[in-house]
Amino acid sequence: MKPITLWIRRIVIVLLVLGVLMAYVGRLMQIQIVDAEIFRAMLADRKVDTQPVKAVRGEIVDADGNLLAANRMGYDVIIDYAFFPRRFEQQNEILLELILLFEQSGESRNDSLPISRFPPFSFESGRDDDIARVKSFTGTQEYASADDAMHWLTGRYRLNQYTPASARKIAGVRYTMEQRGFNLRTPYTFASDIDIATVVKIKERSFELAGVDVTEVASRYYPVHDMAPHLLGTIGPIFPEESRELLEKGYALNDLVGRGGVEGAMESFLRGTDGVREILTDSSGNVIEARESVSPIPGSTIKLTISPRFQYTAQEMLEAQIAFLNENAPEGQGKEADAGAVVMLEVKTGKLLAAATFPSYDLTAYNEDYTLLTGDSMRPLFNRALGGLYAPGSTFKPSVALAGVGNNFIGEGASVNCTHTYGPYPQFRCLGSHGPISLLRAMAQSCNIYFYDLGLRTGIDTIDAMTKSLGLGEPTGIEVPESIGHRSNPETKRALRGEDWYPGDTIQSSIGQLFHSFTPLQMANYAATIANKGERMKLTLIEEILDYTGSNVTRPFAPVVAEKIENIDPMAFDSVIRSMVAASRTGSAQGTFGNYPLDVASKTGTPETFGLPNSTFISFAPADDPEVAIVVIIEKGWHGYTGAPVAKALFDEYFGIEIDAWVDSGPQQLRNERAAPGFRIED
């Protein structure tokens, strides 16, 4: 090839490259200089919005690390505002098609409209709050009918062309969407935890269902559905009346929040931190790009102090003892027992080891059975262990003894003469006629006369101060909701009745009657404080808080002393504990603990109530170095000792004592035959 030809080719190539470069430069000048204003306007028309990316809720485990409230991956159907058509007519067609698909698949969907699904329309019974909310939303009168509300909703959602049944279906979804705050930042969850077969059907018809998507999410479930449901709580949607407060905390209207129990109390830890999804749209609202800019952080793992061994024992034995009384107790003496509670505490730390309520319910069926549960006269949803308020009856007598002996109003060995009626006030009586009786036997035999007299000597103010320090009628410090109740004192009487206090009030209060009203949890704390010789612990249900993996402790447990009783004779606690051991060995709990291998300190009670007497039982063991305190309440249980077999089963389980068989303490007359001649056991 000639040199000149080679040079010509090189020049051509260079010119071509220069030409391409000049074209690019020219185009850049066109974009950056000539058409700069046009592109600035296009960029200005674009908009970036954000959506939350939901964090996985933290889990709840028992003291052994077993899952109590966990997460499992499931499929939710959501409607994403960014991809949902803007025209009402298109939206309604998509919603109706989705509804029909769900009906054919036998799937349920979210529909909070409290109106019957088919005409003639009526408001659904048992949904008064929801009905009031609909009437307020539609602006109809208080006396408006379901047809009035449907007429308003039909107009609002442009449903006149549909049959009444179809209009109701679409209106239910649209109303719920509005209540849940459906917008670009808040997708609407049409249905949760759907079957994989339904997922496939939706995916196959995705081209017809614009804005409808299936997302894999973590949903709540309870692996051990019958263990401590009252303590665990549930999760549910945000109510309109609380929406403003929660929105200020960063919640969206379609979020789920903890309701009651640990789910509610530890919501801030369980909730986690949502991530952020950015959505870029053009001026027409078309999505250009969607990406996750901030990853979510899962919630914490909450480890409880509840032991499955003790919780199951408490639940099963309480139910078994009530069934035993139903089958074997005489009419009017325990046969009518129908409910109760058990609480077990670790004495030296304040840890709650078990808290059982009967009747109870199944967490997995909570939503389906909610109407039945709320309508049940036995109130299975009610947490009797932490919320039930009961008169303590004679289980209150140890506090009177501590106040009297500890403040030297009477000596441990000093006697009071029991002649069946109380001399100065003959209307107050004892079930027996004990003669001269001192503290040890008075506690064992539950002699009312002794405590009438001791109560009057000591005075209500001193008794009330001691009772308060022992934790009765006071918050326990537990993390979940509890009732507080009240002590029987002049302030309570004035508040409840507007009346003055009289000596007869002190007499009745000294045996745990009149205005005393405490929870089983408080009574267990009271027993534990006596066991601790005046050191009252702050109660806790939370062992520790860990990260979501459960491997790193973020908040460890440390025992907290709530109060220390120091202004009384320290020997008073020894005296009272000895007398409570006597109640177990030779007194009202002898039938259960008379030959027990450990010294159990206990006290029975049979407080008078509206109707049949309840059974109350407090205890702790071993008496010389207490480890656990147990309280048993049986509504309409009649005799205080009927709760003792339940406590015995828990002591057996805790101390590893071999169980031959737990035996009920027997009818009252048999118990009296085993008492010392001339005496009757009152509780």
Side-chain angles (χ1 to χ4, degrees), residues 590-671:
Q590 178 188 2
T592 302
F593 293 109
N595 297 310
Y596 202 63
L598 295 176
D599 273 338
V600 175
S602 72
K603 186 68 193 80
T604 57
T606 308
E608 296 179 10
T609 57
F610 299 107
L612 299 172
N614 291 336
S615 165
T616 59
F617 182 79
I618 67 171
S619 58
F620 55 86
D624 58 345
D625 187 17
E627 296 182 33
V628 289
I630 299 169
V631 163
V632 183
I633 307 289
I634 299 178
E635 295 181 19
K636 305 174 189 173
W638 190 263
H639 304 295
Y641 54 77
T642 58
V646 181
K648 177 185 178 294
L650 282 165
F651 285 130
D652 289 343
E653 183 68 35
Y654 183 88
F655 293 110
I657 296 171
E658 187 174 347
I659 307 170
D660 295 326
W662 59 272
V663 182
D664 181 72
S665 49
Q668 179 69 58
Q669 62 268 26
L670 296 181
R671 293 291 299 111

Side-chain angles (χ1 to χ4, degrees), residues 271-586:
R271 178 190 176 200
T273 304
D274 289 345
V276 177
R277 178 191 185 204
E278 291 184 347
I279 302 172
L280 178 63
T281 57
D282 61 20
S283 58
S284 299
N286 299 311
V287 177
I288 299 171
E289 182 185 9
R291 63 187 180 87
E292 187 178 292
S293 58
V294 179
S295 298
I297 301 172
S300 300
T301 297
I302 308 298
K303 185 176 183 179
L304 306 185
T305 58
I306 296 296
S307 162
R309 292 167 53 211
F310 308 137
Q311 182 66 31
Y312 273 127
T313 299
Q315 291 178 185
E316 292 169 2
M317 296 308 299
L318 176 63
E319 183 175 0
Q321 179 67 341
I322 290 174
F324 180 89
L325 293 172
N326 295 159
E327 294 172 8
N328 298 282
E331 294 273 353
Q333 293 194 43
K335 193 175 189 65
E336 300 77 11
D338 56 8
V342 180
V343 174
M344 182 179 187
L345 296 178
E346 194 170 82
V347 167
K348 294 179 173 64
T349 64
K351 292 180 182 180
L352 183 64
L353 301 181
T357 290
F358 180 83
S360 188
Y361 63 98
D362 185 334
L363 266 175
T364 58
Y366 173 80
N367 291 323
E368 293 81 357
D369 296 344
Y370 183 75
T371 301
L372 291 174
L373 291 169
T374 54
D376 191 329
S377 61
M378 289 306 301
R379 299 191 298 165
L381 295 177
F382 180 49
N383 187 348
R384 287 172 163 83
L386 276 65
L389 292 172
Y390 301 93
S394 292
T395 62
F396 185 74
K397 290 174 179 176
S399 68
V400 178
L402 282 170
V405 175
N407 290 284
N408 299 312
F409 288 100
I410 195 172
E412 178 185 355
S415 295
V416 171
N417 190 27
C418 172
T419 59
H420 184 58
T421 59
Y422 186 44
Y425 300 91
Q427 68 271 34
F428 296 112
R429 301 184 178 190
C430 186
L431 192 60
S433 180
H434 301 104
I437 189 169
S438 59
L439 175 62
L440 191 73
R441 198 157 58 87
M443 191 74 75
Q445 305 298 325
S446 201
C447 174
N448 284 343
I449 300 296
Y450 179 91
F451 288 96
Y452 292 155
D453 193 73
L454 182 55
L456 276 182
R457 294 190 197 193
T458 306
I460 192 60
D461 291 339
T462 302
I463 293 171
D464 188 59
M466 173 58 68
T467 306
K468 182 177 187 295
S469 294
L470 291 169
L472 292 174
E474 293 293 307
T476 66
I478 200 81
E479 293 85 357
V480 295
E482 62 172 331
S483 297
I484 304 304
H486 44 73
R487 297 180 298 278
S488 187
N489 56 31
E491 291 73 26
T492 299
K493 186 178 182 183
R494 277 194 293 271
L496 295 178
R497 294 188 181 177
E499 298 174 357
D500 293 332
W501 190 263
Y502 297 102
D505 298 326
T506 300
I507 291 173
Q508 292 183 75
S509 300
S510 296
I511 60 166
Q513 297 284 173
L514 204 58
F515 304 114
H516 288 307
S517 187
F518 311 128
T519 66
L521 184 71
Q522 288 175 332
M523 294 169 70
N525 197 22
Y526 154 63
T529 305
I530 295 174
N532 268 336
K533 297 186 178 181
E535 189 169 82
R536 176 163 60 91
M537 306 303 296
K538 177 181 179 290
L539 300 190
T540 183
L541 177 60
I542 309 302
E543 177 71 41
E544 55 192 10
I545 300 175
L546 308 95
D547 63 12
Y548 186 76
T549 66
S551 56
N552 300 305
V553 177
T554 59
R555 181 178 293 186
F557 167 77
V560 176
V561 177
E563 185 174 352
K564 174 69 174 174
I565 302 173
E566 296 177 324
N567 58 346
I568 66 169
D569 185 344
M571 299 301 292
F573 284 101
D574 295 324
S575 300
V576 170
I577 291 172
R578 279 195 298 271
S579 70
M580 293 176 71
V581 171
S584 296
R585 291 298 189 190
T586 64

Side-chain angles (χ1 to χ4, degrees), residues 129-401:
D129 291 344
D130 293 332
I131 293 168
R133 199 171 291 128
V134 167
K135 290 180 178 179
S136 174
F137 177 75
T138 58
T140 52
Q141 300 295 325
E142 185 178 345
Y143 51 79
S145 67
D147 281 324
D148 295 330
M150 272 303 303
H151 178 75
W152 190 93
L153 293 169
T154 298
R156 180 176 181 81
Y157 300 133
R158 305 175 193 175
L159 302 172
N160 290 300
Q161 71 271 31
Y162 295 99
T163 65
S166 293
R168 164 62 186 85
K169 293 173 183 179
I170 300 171
V173 176
R174 301 213 69 136
Y175 170 77
T176 310
M177 290 170 76
E178 278 203 82
Q179 294 296 302
R180 301 282 173 84
F182 176 59
N183 58 35
L184 186 61
R185 295 177 178 82
T186 308
Y188 171 67
T189 301
F190 180 86
S192 300
D193 200 21
I194 65 171
D195 190 86
I196 187 63
T198 308
V199 173
V200 173
K201 292 178 182 178
I202 293 172
K203 292 291 186 182
E204 288 174 346
R205 299 169 64 176
S206 59
F207 64 94
E208 304 172 26
L209 302 171
V212 177
D213 195 11
V214 178
T215 180
E216 192 173 12
V217 297
S219 60
R220 205 60 157 176
Y221 82 108
Y222 301 93
V224 190
H225 55 86
D226 61 346
M227 180 173 162
H230 302 88
L231 294 178
L232 289 179
T234 60
I235 60 172
I238 293 173
F239 300 138
E241 55 269 21
E242 63 186 352
S243 60
R244 177 176 296 180
E245 178 184 352
L246 291 177
L247 288 173
E248 291 174 354
K249 294 180 179 179
Y251 286 80
L253 286 175
N254 65 336
D255 281 343
L256 297 175
V257 295
R259 298 281 176 206
V262 177
E263 291 276 25
M266 306 304 289
E267 169 69 17
S268 60
F269 294 96
L270 291 166
R271 178 190 176 200
T273 304
D274 289 345
V276 177
R277 178 191 185 204
E278 291 184 347
I279 302 172
L280 178 63
T281 57
D282 61 20
S283 58
S284 299
N286 299 311
V287 177
I288 299 171
E289 182 185 9
R291 63 187 180 87
E292 187 178 292
S293 58
V294 179
S295 298
I297 301 172
S300 300
T301 297
I302 308 298
K303 185 176 183 179
L304 306 185
T305 58
I306 296 296
S307 162
R309 292 167 53 211
F310 308 137
Q311 182 66 31
Y312 273 127
T313 299
Q315 291 178 185
E316 292 169 2
M317 296 308 299
L318 176 63
E319 183 175 0
Q321 179 67 341
I322 290 174
F324 180 89
L325 293 172
N326 295 159
E327 294 172 8
N328 298 282
E331 294 273 353
Q333 293 194 43
K335 193 175 189 65
E336 300 77 11
D338 56 8
V342 180
V343 174
M344 182 179 187
L345 296 178
E346 194 170 82
V347 167
K348 294 179 173 64
T349 64
K351 292 180 182 180
L352 183 64
L353 301 181
T357 290
F358 180 83
S360 188
Y361 63 98
D362 185 334
L363 266 175
T364 58
Y366 173 80
N367 291 323
E368 293 81 357
D369 296 344
Y370 183 75
T371 301
L372 291 174
L373 291 169
T374 54
D376 191 329
S377 61
M378 289 306 301
R379 299 191 298 165
L381 295 177
F382 180 49
N383 187 348
R384 287 172 163 83
L386 276 65
L389 292 172
Y390 301 93
S394 292
T395 62
F396 185 74
K397 290 174 179 176
S399 68
V400 178

Side-chain angles (χ1 to χ4, degrees), residues 50-111:
T50 60
Q51 286 181 348
V53 179
K54 297 303 177 188
V56 176
R57 191 170 181 83
E59 297 178 324
I60 303 172
V61 301
D62 64 26
D64 294 343
N66 303 306
L67 284 169
L68 297 179
N71 301 306
R72 63 182 171 197
M73 298 311 294
Y75 297 100
D76 284 5
V77 177
I78 66 164
I79 299 175
D80 194 327
Y81 185 94
F83 300 94
F84 203 41
R86 295 294 174 264
R87 293 181 60 242
F88 257 52
E89 292 74 16
Q90 288 179 282
Q91 293 177 357
N92 289 338
E93 284 300 311
I94 289 170
L95 291 177
L96 182 58
E97 188 172 346
L98 187 60
I99 290 167
L100 294 176
L101 186 154
F102 263 64
E103 289 180 348
Q104 292 166 5
S105 302
E107 297 270 13
S108 61
R109 64 183 186 274
N110 291 325
D111 184 336

